[in-house]
């Protein structure tokens, strides 16, 4: 009867580590124990189970071979993690917790698979080992080159190089990287150039004017701006705190928003910024006047026009070609708090027309700010209309550019759960003021839509 590899507690450790890593997803964001448990499993769990299953002898390796075995374990674990992430990504269902679950199941299967041993393993190996004992050292007396270790090191180096390439490709304007900061479960594909520049009049990609295929949807809000003026039943022209105009004082911007800077004609909404000194209701004089629209209130104690909790939000936008000193944005703001966190930035263009900043801003239970950020580009977003969308669900927030998924946050603890207003604005002077020779610019919006399940 062929002997079967005996069960030992050490054989169960990789599988146990996988389920502990999955359970660690329930820990608070930023908890050191969460990061340690998940990292330890991803770097050792799947590879250890695979090596243990494939090893012909139950006895552990000793001496220098331990280093080779450890390298092989890490290399296999990294390979399993990368392949799992790629498979989930191309299936359109990537999530940190989901990836850990898949790897935990895989590790458990490898752990439970029976592995028959040869009848006389020591007898088969004793003679070859004795025959080649003299080859274990080089002529100069030093140990032989560990080719297996070099192979594993090469695999790890290539993996690191691929990862570095992805990070470089995700770098946005101002050197900001496309990584989520302070948020567990952030997905950042290295595809910054997924959207090619669209010339004016070029049809948008198929699927860009409709929600992603993540379930049944129905339209709850739509404005194609086909009338001769702004629909004031759907849009206000200031923030909730407007009184004869408004601004975002928290950003120390240069503009004072006024209704006259908002126009609808030729099937589009236009927000215009002009270098025109305007005295606001706060008594301050602002060097620029600009336009914005919001589905919020006309006044502080009013009722918001439209608020939304979850759904797919999208708009076709052609940003300004005069980027320096300009800050156009398409974003969602809480209706109940009249500003503040949480905040979902579907697309921001901060002093650039080549990169779109996609952000989630939230507040942790301890009061600290949490920010997930990704810069998508370079693309000339001023050359024509591009569709920017966000799928806001209870367990994930996913950003799309021209119908292509580019960024995702999958940590439910930081995802907004409150009704939010839709805002489109053209701010001026955030981080820098426009050059002296620039006196006017505009942003065009072809349509805005909201869908819900």
């Amino acid at each position: 009867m062929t002997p079967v590899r005996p069960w030992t507690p050490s054989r169960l450790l990789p599988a146990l580590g996988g389920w502990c890593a999955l359970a660690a997803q329930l820990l608070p964001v930023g908890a050191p124990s969460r990061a340690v448990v998940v990292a330890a499993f991803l770097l050792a769990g799947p590879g250890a189970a695979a090596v243990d299953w494939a090893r012909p002898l139950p006895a552990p390796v000793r001496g220098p071979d331990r280093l080779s075995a450890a390298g092989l374990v890490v290399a296999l674990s990294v390979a399993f993690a990368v392949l799992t992430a790629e498979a989930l990504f191309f299936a359109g269902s990537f999530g940190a917790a989901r990836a850990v679950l898949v790897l935990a199941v895989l590790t458990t299967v490898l752990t439970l698979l029976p592995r028959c041993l040869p009848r006389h393993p020591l007898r088969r190996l004793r003679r070859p080992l004795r025959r080649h004992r003299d080859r274990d050292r080089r002529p100069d007396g030093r140990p032989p080159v560990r080719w297996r270790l070099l192979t594993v090191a090469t695999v790890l180096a290539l993996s690191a190089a691929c990862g570095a390439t992805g990070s470089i490709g995700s770098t946005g304007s101002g050197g900001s990287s496309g990584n989520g900061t302070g948020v567990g479960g952030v997905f950042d594909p290295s595809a910054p150039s997924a959207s090619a520049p669209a010339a004016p009049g070029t049809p948008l990609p198929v699927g860009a004017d409709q929600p992603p295929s993540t379930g049944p949807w129905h339209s709850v809000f739509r404005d194609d701006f086909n009338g001769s003026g702004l629909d004031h039943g759907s849009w206000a022209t200031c923030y909730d705190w407007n009184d004869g105009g408004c601004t975002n004082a928290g950003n120390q911007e240069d503009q004072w928003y006024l209704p006259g800077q908002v126009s609808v004609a030729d099937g589009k909404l236009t927000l215009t910024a002009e270098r025109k000194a305007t005295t606001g209701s706060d008594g301050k004089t602002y060097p620029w006047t600009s336009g914005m629209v919001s589905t919020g209130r006309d006044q502080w104690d009013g009722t918001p026009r439209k608020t939304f909790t979850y759904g797919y939000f999208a708009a076709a936008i052609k940003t300004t070609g005069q980027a320096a000193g300009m800050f156009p944005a398409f974003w969602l703001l809480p209706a109940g708090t009249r500003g503040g966190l949480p905040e979902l930035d579907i697309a921001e263009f901060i002093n650039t027309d080549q990169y779109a900043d996609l952000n989630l801003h939230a507040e942790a239970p301890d009061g600290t700010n949490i920010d997930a950020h990704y810069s998508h580009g370079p693309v000339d977003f001023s050359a024509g209309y591009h569709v920017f969308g966000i799928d806001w669900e209870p367990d994930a927030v996913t950003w799309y550019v021209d119908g292509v998924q580019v960024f995702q946050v999958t940590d439910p603890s930081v995802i907004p759960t409150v009704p939010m207003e839709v805002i489109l604005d053209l701010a001026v002077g955030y981080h820098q003021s426009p050059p002296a020779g620039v006196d006017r610019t505009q942003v065009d919006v072809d349509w805005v839509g909201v869908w819900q399940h």
Side-chain angles (χ1 to χ4, degrees):
M1 180 176 180
T2 303
V4 178
R5 180 180 55 171
W7 286 96
T8 59
S10 61
R11 284 186 56 196
L12 300 176
L13 287 179
L16 181 61
W19 297 109
C20 289
L22 185 62
Q25 299 294 313
L26 302 176
L27 294 176
V29 177
S33 55
R34 171 178 175 166
V36 170
V37 171
V38 174
F41 168 67
L42 293 180
L43 288 176
V51 169
D52 184 63
W53 178 80
R55 190 177 60 205
L57 288 175
V61 293
R62 293 183 173 85
D65 281 341
R66 284 185 174 179
L67 186 59
S68 298
L72 182 60
V73 165
V74 174
L76 288 174
S77 296
V78 171
F80 280 128
V82 171
L83 291 175
T84 299
E86 289 180 347
L88 292 175
F89 167 57
F90 287 116
S93 59
F94 182 90
R98 188 175 289 113
V100 173
L101 174 61
V102 171
L103 290 170
V105 171
L106 174 63
T107 303
T108 302
V109 170
L110 289 172
T111 301
L112 298 179
L113 277 177
R115 181 69 165 90
C116 295
L117 301 175
R119 292 180 179 274
H120 305 289
L122 295 178
R123 184 180 304 172
R124 294 183 181 183
L125 293 175
R126 187 181 298 122
R127 188 176 302 168
L129 286 174
R130 189 166 55 236
R131 180 185 304 169
H132 299 291
R133 186 178 299 167
D134 293 338
R135 299 184 185 179
D136 288 343
R137 305 195 68 83
R138 296 180 355 189
D140 57 5
R142 290 184 294 171
V145 177
R146 299 292 173 180
W147 296 109
R148 283 181 294 176
L149 180 58
L150 290 179
T151 302
V152 170
T154 302
V155 172
L156 291 177
L158 291 175
S159 299
C162 293
T165 303
S167 300
I168 293 172
S170 299
T171 300
S173 60
S176 59
S177 68
N179 295 325
T181 303
V183 176
V186 175
F187 169 57
D188 173 14
S190 302
S193 300
S195 304
T202 301
L204 295 173
V206 175
D209 191 8
Q210 60 188 5
S213 56
T214 55
W217 297 91
H218 65 278
S219 177
V220 295
F221 178 73
R222 178 81 180 197
D223 196 338
D224 291 291
F225 305 111
N226 289 327
S228 57
L230 185 69
D231 179 5
H232 292 281
S234 297
W235 301 103
T237 52
C238 274
Y239 293 113
D240 292 337
W241 50 88
N242 63 51
D243 182 10
C246 61
T247 191
N248 189 341
N251 284 345
Q252 299 180 342
E253 296 168 354
D254 290 345
Q255 85 289 332
W256 184 258
Y257 290 117
L258 287 176
Q261 304 303 117
V262 179
S263 62
V264 171
D266 302 323
K268 64 182 179 181
L269 166 74
T270 300
L271 308 177
T272 303
E274 294 183 274
R275 189 186 294 273
K276 181 170 61 177
T278 305
T279 301
S281 58
D282 56 2
K284 298 180 180 179
T285 299
Y286 294 83
W288 282 75
T289 305
S290 190
M292 67 165 289
V293 294
S294 164
T295 62
R297 305 168 176 84
D298 279 326
Q299 54 190 2
W300 182 262
D301 58 354
T303 301
R305 285 165 168 78
K306 298 180 185 298
T307 61
F308 309 92
T309 306
Y310 307 124
Y312 181 72
F313 304 76
I317 301 172
K318 181 170 67 173
T319 191
T320 171
Q322 173 49 57
M326 301 300 167
F327 181 17
F330 173 33
W331 53 300
L332 305 180
L333 188 68
T337 59
R338 296 176 172 84
L341 302 178
E343 176 184 323
L344 292 173
D345 298 323
I346 306 172
E348 292 183 326
F349 304 90
I350 306 176
N351 301 304
T352 180
D353 55 9
Q354 298 295 310
Y355 292 89
D357 280 352
L358 322 175
N359 305 296
L360 182 152
H361 302 296
E363 185 175 302
D366 61 359
T368 59
N369 289 345
I370 297 174
D371 300 287
H373 165 74
Y374 177 66
S375 289
H376 181 78
V379 175
D380 187 357
F381 292 114
S382 66
Y385 287 102
H386 290 266
V387 177
F388 303 92
I390 190 171
D391 184 5
W392 170 25
E393 305 289 347
D395 59 350
V397 179
T398 308
W399 282 256
Y400 295 82
V401 177
D402 291 333
V404 178
Q405 178 180 331
V406 295
F407 183 46
Q408 187 177 64
V409 174
T410 56
D411 189 335
S413 66
V414 303
I415 294 176
T417 60
V418 297
M420 305 185 83
E421 304 167 356
V422 178
I423 298 175
L424 290 141
D425 62 21
L426 174 51
V428 183
Y430 181 61
H431 289 330
Q432 70 180 75
S433 296
V438 176
D439 297 320
R440 180 186 176 95
T441 192
Q442 68 183 44
V443 168
D444 296 327
V445 182
D446 187 47
W447 56 265
V448 179
V450 180
W451 294 260
Q452 290 180 331
H453 293 298

